[in-house]
Amino acid sequence: MPKKNNTKRAPPSVPKPSGPPPRLLQLTSSDGHLLQGDIRALLLSSTLAATIRELGYDKEYCAELKPVPVNNVVGFTLKLLIEWCDKHKEDDPAIALAEKDKKNICIPSWDRHFLSRLPMSNLFDLITAAYHLDVTGLINYGCKTVANSAKGKNAEEMRELFGIPEPWEQPSTSTATWDD
Amino acid sequence: MWPRNDVHMDDGSMTPEDQEPVTDNDMEYNDNGEESSYSNGSSSSYNADKLSSSRPLQHKLDLSASPSRNNDLNPRVEHLIALFKDLSSAEQMDAFTRLLQESNMTNIRQLRAIIEPHFQRDFLSCLPVELGMKILHNLTGYDLLKVAQVSKNWKLISEIDKIWKSLGVEEFKHHPDPTDRVTGAWQGTAIAAGVTIPDHIQPCDLNVHRFLKLQKFGDIFERAADKSRYLRADKIEKNWNANPIMGSAVLRGHEDHVITCMQIHDDVLVTGSDDNTLKVWCIDKGEVMYTLVGHTGGVWTSQISQCGRYIVSGSTDRTVKVWSTVDGSLLHTLQGHTSTVRCMAMAGSILVTGSRDTTLRVWDVESGRHLATLHGHHAAVRCVQFDGTTVVSGGYDFTVKIWNAHTGRCIRTLTGHNNRVYSLLFESERSIVCSGSLDTSIRVWDFTRPEGQECVALLQGHTSLTSGMQLRGNILVSCNADSHVRVWDIHEGTCVHMLSGHRSAITSLQWFGRNMVATSSDDGTVKLWDIERGALIRDLVTLDSGGNGGCIWRLCSTSTMLACAVGSRNNTEETKVILLDFDAVYP
C-alpha cells in the first residue's frame, strides 16, 4: 500500500509584512505565569481566537490589550504552545483541517524535531493543551508523533515506553480478560 | 505533633489548585499500591511532577541508607526524615541537590529507576478519550492488537469500532460470512491414495476443528465487531500461507472425461466437461445439486452471470445453452454458430460467444434473442472479453479485434502477433488489452492510441503459449505452457519475477489476496506463490501420478476456498474436483 503523498505546504500567498511590528497579547497561565505571543499566532487556537475577536483585540486600532487568562494550561506548556503557534502563524488553516481525519499525514521536519525533543510527559501536556485550546494542527502532529513511537512495539515495550505497570500490578489482575 | 502542624501550615499557604496534587503525592508515598492508580488515572501538571518526584527520593533514601532495611533500628535516618519534613519545598529541593552531590553513582542509578516512571505517561488513560482515539487512529491493525494487550483500559479504548473501521479497506478484505463445509464431501478429506496435500491437518485433530467451526461469531465479534473482522481476515491469510489446511473434500463426477471449464459464483461451483454435461455443485454442503443434460457435444466453455441466476455453456454441438441456477432447468438454446462455440464473456445479461466458425455473436440470455453477429476474423475465435459495450476478441488469425457490441462494427484490429492468440485481458477503464500468444510473447495494447501505434509493451521471456493472465494496476501475472509463472511491470515492460517450480505446462492461474497466486499444472500439482517476493509459498496439492499422466486441468478460488479439477488423459487418475478450505470463524 503506497503511502499517500500530502501536497507540499503552499507558500504564503502574500509577502511577509515588513512594516508593522507584531501586536503582542499577554496570556496568564493557570499557575500565574504571564506570557505573551503574537496575536496572529494565537489565532491558530480556535478558543483563543473566539476570545480575541470578542474582545476586539484583533482590530488594529485597539490599543489597550489586557492579559487573557488561560485557566487550564500551566506556564511551561503554554510557552511551548505559543512557540509552536508562532512558527505556524503563516500556515493556511485549511491544511490543518484537511489533515484532521487523515491517517498517514507527514509531519514537517521542524515539527518532527520540535515534538521529538520533548520528554513524553511534556508532549502529553502539550497535546492536552492543544486539545483544550483547539489548535488543530498541533493536535494532528502531536497525536501522530505519539503513534509513531508506539508503532511496531509489542505490549511489553509499550508498557515500558508509556510507564504502565505490569499486568499483575494493575487492578483487575486477571490478564486473561484482555490477552486475545 | 508540633512538626506536623508546621507541615500543615505550609500546605495552607499554597493555592487551591496546587493543594490537590500534594494530596496525591501523600497518598502515593504512604501506599505503593496506589502508584499504579496515580499513573493510570490522574493528569498532573509539569510542576506537580517535580513535586511528586520528591517523595520516592525520600523513600529510596530510607532504603539505601539502612543496610538492614529496618528503619526502626536506625535512629539517624529517622532523625534525618523528621528534619526533612520540617523543610519548605524550596529547602527540600536544595537538600536534594546537595544530597545527590554526596551520593555515589550506584545510589543515583537507583534513584533514576524510581524517578523515571513519573515522567512517562499512559496516554490512553491521561488524555481525553478523543485524543486517545486520534492517536490509535494512526496505527495499523497489527499495532492495535498489541495495544489491546497492554492494559485493560488500553484494551477498552483500542476496541472502539470507529478506530477499526478507519483502517484501510485492504485490511478487512470483506470476506463473506463463515461457512459450514463439514457435510457431504467435506465429511471425508481429499487425502487419498495417490493424492498428497502437504500440511493437511491430522485426522484426529479434524473433529476438534469441526466442532470449533460451529461457533461462527465469538466473544470478540459481540464486543468489537470490526476488530473481529480484522482478526478473521488475518487468520484466513495465515490459513493460506502457513497454517495447516483444516478441511478438504472430493467432488466426484464426469467420470473418465475431461473437465474443460470451471467457475464459482458465491457458493455455486459449475464444472463443464467433454461428457456433454455440466454439473452444479453446492460448495458448502459438498454435494452436487444438478446435472445439466442437453448438449449433444462436449462442453468447452461456460459462464455464470454476474447476478448468479444463469449458467451459460458453449459446446461442440454449435449451440449455446442458458440454464437456471435455481432449479437447473434449460431456459434457452441459442442457435446460429456453425461450428464449435469456443469462448464466451458476459456483462449483465448480454453474452458474447466466440466460435471456430470465425464469428462472434451477441445474445440476450434473458430473452434468448440474438442481437448481433461480428464478422471479421479469418480463423477460429479463441478468446473474448466484454465490458457491456466493447468486445475484445483474439483468434487463430493472429489478430486481436475491438468491436462495438451494439453496432457489430469492428473498431480496431491489433496486429503484431506472429502466431495464434490464446488468452486475453481487457481493462476498459484504461482501454488496456493484454494478449498472450503461441508466438511466446505477451503484448499490451492501448487501443485509444493512433492506429498502428497501439502496442505499448512487448513482454518477452516465456517460451510457449500463455494460458492465463491477471492484471492489477501495472502488475501482470502470466502462466505459460513453458512451466513458468512470470510477474511483469507493464508500464516498464519488464519481467519482475520468474517463478520456477512446476515441471510442465501450467493450466490455470488465480490471483487473490494482496500478493498470492495459485497455479495448476499438467505436472499434477497446485502451487501457491508470493508474487511480491517472487517465491513459492507451498504446494497445496500433489498427485502421485503427476509425470505419468495425472494432471490438474483447471483451478479457481474464492477468498476462502480453492477448487481444482483433477484427472488424466490416460486413465491414471480418476476425474474429480478437489476442494480445500481456508476459512475461519469470527473470533
Side-chain angles (χ1 to χ4, degrees):
Chain A
M1 191 83 199
K3 293 232 174 205
K4 295 173 191 168
N5 286 323
N6 289 305
T7 320
K8 265 211 159 186
R9 293 189 167 278
S13 54
V14 296
K16 205 161 187 177
S18 55
R23 300 175 60 244
L24 301 181
L25 175 65
Q26 285 183 318
L27 305 175
T28 307
S29 66
S30 61
D31 55 349
H33 285 85
L34 208 60
L35 301 154
Q36 64 180 17
D38 185 342
I39 284 180
R40 225 159 28 118
L42 299 180
L43 291 175
L44 287 179
S45 157
S46 303
T47 306
L48 290 178
T51 302
I52 288 168
R53 293 192 174 108
E54 190 163 313
L55 296 173
Y57 289 177
D58 54 332
K59 304 295 194 294
E60 291 292 333
Y61 55 78
C62 189
E64 190 180 347
L65 306 179
K66 294 193 174 79
V68 172
V70 180
N71 292 323
N72 45 21
V73 184
V74 296
F76 181 87
T77 306
L78 190 55
K79 185 168 183 292
L80 291 170
L81 187 138
I82 291 172
E83 183 181 349
W84 188 92
C85 289
D86 197 61
K87 180 66 180 178
H88 289 276
K89 64 192 178 190
E90 308 276 1
D91 286 1
D92 182 356
I95 293 176
L97 285 179
E99 290 181 337
K100 190 172 182 181
D101 292 316
K102 275 193 178 178
K103 285 180 66 71
N104 293 310
I105 62 174
C106 290
I107 305 176
S109 61
W110 183 90
D111 297 85
R112 195 180 322 113
H113 176 259
F114 176 78
L115 295 169
S116 65
R117 77 163 204 254
L118 294 176
M120 197 68 74
S121 179
N122 296 344
L123 177 57
F124 286 142
D125 287 334
L126 183 58
I127 295 172
T128 307
Y131 175 74
H132 289 310
L133 297 179
D134 200 357
V135 185
T136 304
L138 180 50
I139 295 173
N140 293 345
Y141 297 148
C143 290
K144 180 68 177 177
T145 299
V146 176
N148 284 346
S149 63
K151 274 183 182 175
K153 291 188 163 57
N154 61 35
E156 190 63 37
E157 288 163 340
M158 287 190 199
R159 288 194 199 102
E160 187 174 338
L161 177 67
F162 296 111
I164 296 162
E166 295 298 325
W168 49 87
E169 298 168 2
Q170 301 177 27
S172 290
T173 56
S174 170
T175 60
T177 58
W178 69 72
D179 194 350
D180 295 319
Chain B
M1 207 56 201
W2 169 247
R4 286 227 166 252
N5 287 341
D6 280 350
V7 170
H8 181 71
M9 287 178 62
D10 284 338
D11 287 347
S13 68
M14 294 179 184
T15 62
E17 291 89 349
D18 288 333
Q19 198 155 359
E20 185 170 341
V22 173
T23 303
D24 285 345
N25 296 341
D26 284 336
M27 290 178 61
E28 176 193 357
Y29 171 65
N30 290 331
D31 182 359
N32 279 338
E34 292 292 333
E35 283 187 83
S36 60
S37 66
Y38 166 81
S39 63
N40 279 341
S42 65
S43 172
S44 58
S45 70
Y46 177 79
N47 285 348
D49 277 342
K50 283 198 164 180
L51 290 174
S52 70
S53 64
S54 62
R55 300 300 179 174
L57 276 169
Q58 181 174 331
H59 181 68
K60 190 58 182 178
L61 277 175
D62 286 349
L63 291 177
S64 63
S66 174
S68 66
R69 295 180 181 256
N70 188 337
N71 296 335
D72 294 337
L73 297 185
N74 196 327
R76 295 199 300 163
V77 172
E78 286 301 311
H79 181 57
L80 183 61
I81 297 299
L83 283 175
F84 189 82
K85 287 180 177 177
D86 282 344
L87 302 176
S88 70
S89 179
E91 288 170 331
Q92 284 184 352
M93 276 307 303
D94 183 52
F96 271 133
T97 305
R98 294 173 63 183
L99 283 170
L100 283 174
Q101 289 164 3
E102 299 295 330
S103 300
N104 62 41
M105 190 52 64
T106 302
N107 283 346
I108 290 177
R109 288 203 183 94
Q110 290 187 63
L111 291 173
R112 178 185 173 184
I114 295 174
I115 294 168
E116 232 170 15
H118 296 278
F119 288 87
Q120 294 164 316
R121 302 286 286 280
D122 178 347
F123 66 84
L124 289 184
S125 303
C126 300
L127 297 177
V129 173
E130 295 101 312
L131 290 179
M133 286 175 63
K134 191 173 174 61
I135 291 169
L136 295 185
H137 183 81
N138 287 283
L139 297 179
T140 64
Y142 179 83
D143 289 319
L144 287 171
L145 295 179
K146 302 303 171 189
V147 164
Q149 293 173 6
V150 169
S151 76
K152 188 153 194 169
N153 197 46
W154 280 44
K155 180 189 183 63
L156 290 172
I157 298 181
S158 75
E159 290 188 345
I160 293 169
D161 245 14
K162 191 182 176 190
I163 296 171
W164 289 93
K165 279 196 198 314
S166 70
L167 290 181
V169 175
E170 187 128 343
E171 308 221 34
F172 276 81
K173 296 167 185 162
H174 299 301
H175 297 287
D177 276 348
T179 55
D180 290 325
R181 296 179 189 162
V182 293
T183 59
W186 296 102
Q187 285 176 355
T189 68
I191 299 178
V195 177
T196 301
I197 300 179
D199 306 331
H200 202 290
I201 193 172
Q202 295 302 312
C204 53
D205 299 322
L206 197 51
N207 286 331
V208 175
H209 171 69
R210 284 172 174 164
F211 179 80
L212 295 175
K213 279 198 76 173
L214 299 179
Q215 181 74 37
K216 292 186 173 136
F217 298 90
D219 291 345
I220 298 177
F221 188 88
E222 288 173 18
R223 183 176 77 235
D226 280 306
K227 174 177 180 178
S228 184
R229 290 188 182 100
Y230 176 88
L231 287 168
R232 178 178 177 234
D234 187 63
K235 182 71 175 296
I236 288 170
E237 178 155 351
K238 286 189 169 73
N239 284 347
W240 282 102
N241 272 291
N243 287 348
I245 290 166
M246 302 293 238
S248 61
V250 176
L251 305 175
R252 293 196 154 78
H254 306 299
E255 285 81 8
D256 300 328
H257 285 86
V258 175
I259 292 174
T260 53
C261 43
M262 185 161 68
Q263 279 92 32
I264 295 179
H265 187 279
D266 294 341
D267 194 46
V268 172
L269 175 75
V270 176
T271 54
S273 168
D274 66 353
D275 68 0
N276 304 355
T277 71
L278 300 100
K279 285 187 183 293
V280 185
W281 316 79
C282 175
I283 296 169
D284 267 20
K285 293 179 181 153
E287 63 187 19
V288 65
M289 292 191 290
Y290 320 111
T291 300
L292 310 182
V293 180
H295 276 299
T296 57
V299 177
W300 279 94
T301 181
S302 66
Q303 284 283 318
I304 306 176
S305 61
Q306 281 154 3
C307 61
R309 281 183 287 146
Y310 305 106
I311 297 166
V312 188
S313 56
S315 166
T316 58
D317 68 10
R318 305 172 201 162
T319 69
V320 178
K321 289 185 184 290
V322 183
W323 317 80
S324 163
T325 49
V326 175
D327 56 12
S329 60
L330 174 62
L331 300 176
H332 303 294
T333 297
L334 312 178
Q335 312 219 33
H337 278 301
T338 58
S339 190
T340 297
V341 181
R342 191 62 186 84
C343 54
M344 56 175 52
M346 275 187 92
S349 64
I350 306 299
L351 169 75
V352 180
T353 55
S355 167
R356 195 173 293 176
D357 67 14
T358 76
T359 70
L360 297 108
R361 287 172 179 259
V362 185
W363 319 81
D364 181 333
V365 301
E366 275 193 46
S367 61
R369 280 192 311 126
H370 169 233
L371 303 177
T373 303
L374 314 181
H375 294 278
H377 277 291
H378 303 304
V381 180
R382 178 61 177 80
C383 41
V384 63
Q385 299 268 304
F386 180 45
D387 67 354
T389 300
T390 304
V391 175
V392 182
S393 60
Y396 285 2
D397 60 0
F398 310 173
T399 67
V400 177
K401 284 183 179 287
I402 319 291
W403 315 76
N404 181 307
H406 303 304
T407 65
R409 283 184 53 254
C410 178
I411 299 168
R412 194 68 70 96
T413 300
L414 309 175
T415 59
H417 278 301
N418 301 324
N419 213 320
R420 299 172 169 181
V421 177
Y422 272 91
S423 51
L424 274 182
L425 278 180
F426 174 38
E427 195 178 284
S428 61
E429 298 79 29
R430 292 190 282 168
S431 305
I432 285 180
V433 172
C434 301
S435 55
S437 165
L438 186 55
D439 70 11
T440 75
S441 72
I442 296 167
R443 286 177 179 258
V444 183
W445 318 80
D446 176 352
F447 60 82
T448 61
R449 285 173 160 231
E451 201 146 344
Q453 300 174 34
E454 302 97 338
C455 188
V456 297
L458 174 61
L459 310 177
Q460 294 182 307
H462 276 308
T463 58
S464 189
L465 74 88
T466 295
S467 43
M469 297 180 290
Q470 279 192 249
L471 176 68
R472 286 194 199 168
N474 283 336
I475 300 299
L476 175 76
V477 186
S478 62
C479 64
N480 195 279
D482 66 7
S483 84
H484 299 312
V485 183
R486 284 180 182 259
V487 185
W488 313 83
D489 181 323
I490 64 169
H491 185 257
E492 302 291 325
T494 56
C495 179
V496 178
H497 294 301
M498 185 184 83
L499 309 176
S500 301
H502 280 299
R503 285 176 283 111
S504 58
I506 298 175
T507 51
S508 279
L509 169 151
Q510 180 88 40
W511 184 354
F512 49 92
R514 189 174 51 255
N515 56 6
M516 290 189 295
V517 165
T519 54
S520 63
S521 170
D522 273 357
D523 68 5
T525 66
V526 175
K527 290 179 186 288
L528 188 65
W529 312 84
D530 179 334
I531 59 168
E532 191 171 322
R533 292 186 294 120
L536 175 70
I537 296 174
R538 58 178 172 177
D539 287 348
L540 294 177
V541 177
T542 304
L543 303 180
D544 293 0
S545 58
N548 286 306
C551 59
I552 302 187
W553 289 310
R554 284 285 180 272
L555 168 152
C556 53
S557 74
T558 68
S559 62
T560 63
M561 189 273 303
L562 180 129
C564 54
V566 174
S568 66
R569 294 184 183 86
N570 56 1
N571 293 314
T572 52
E573 189 73 49
E574 100 185 286
T575 300
K576 60 205 171 204
V577 178
I578 291 176
L579 308 176
L580 303 181
D581 182 25
F582 298 93
D583 202 0
V585 298
Y586 288 115

